[in-house]
Amino acid sequence: MASNFLRGNSAHQDTVKAMSTDQFEQIVKAISEGKYSWACVLILRFNGHNPAHYIPYRTYKRLIKDHKAAQKREQATFTQMGLSRDRVLKS
C-alpha cells in the first residue's frame, strides 16, 4: 500500500490538484504549532484522500476531537476579547 501511495494510485492521479493558499497556510500553521499529525490529516484531506484509510481509526478520531476542542478554545478567547476571529486572521 505504501508503494502505491508514494507512486500515486492511478485512480487518484486524476483527482490530485494543487492546494489553495488557504489550505497551504493551514498546513504550515499546524506544523509550526507542532501538530504534525494534524498536518498529515490536512494534507491527505486536501489531496482528496480519506485520512481514516491511512491513520488508525482511534488516532484519527482523537485528532478530530482535539482539533475541535482547540477551535472552541480559540473562539472563546476571541469572544472574550470582543474580537471576531475572522477579522483578526485577515489583518
Side-chain angles (χ1 to χ4, degrees):
M1 180 162 84
S3 62
N4 283 342
F5 181 73
L6 295 175
R7 279 188 276 139
N9 187 328
S10 61
H12 289 358
Q13 283 179 342
D14 296 332
T15 62
V16 174
K17 57 184 179 236
M19 66 181 73
S20 71
T21 302
D22 180 56
Q23 291 172 331
F24 181 74
E25 288 173 0
Q26 287 180 51
I27 293 167
V28 170
K29 180 182 179 205
I31 292 169
S32 68
E33 292 176 353
K35 298 176 183 176
Y36 307 111
S37 296
W38 184 249
C40 290
V41 167
L42 294 176
I43 291 168
L44 289 166
R45 274 188 185 172
F46 295 155
N47 284 295
H49 296 277
N50 181 351
H53 292 165
Y54 300 93
I55 300 171
Y57 179 78
R58 290 178 68 189
T59 302
Y60 178 61
K61 286 298 185 184
R62 179 183 48 80
L63 289 168
I64 297 295
K65 180 181 170 185
D66 291 349
H67 180 70
K68 285 182 181 180
Q71 280 184 317
K72 285 182 183 180
R73 282 191 306 272
E74 185 178 291
Q75 184 60 44
T77 301
F78 284 116
T79 302
Q80 286 176 349
M81 295 171 58
L83 300 171
S84 164
R85 179 181 178 270
D86 293 332
R87 195 173 89 203
V88 171
L89 294 177
K90 288 181 182 177
S91 45

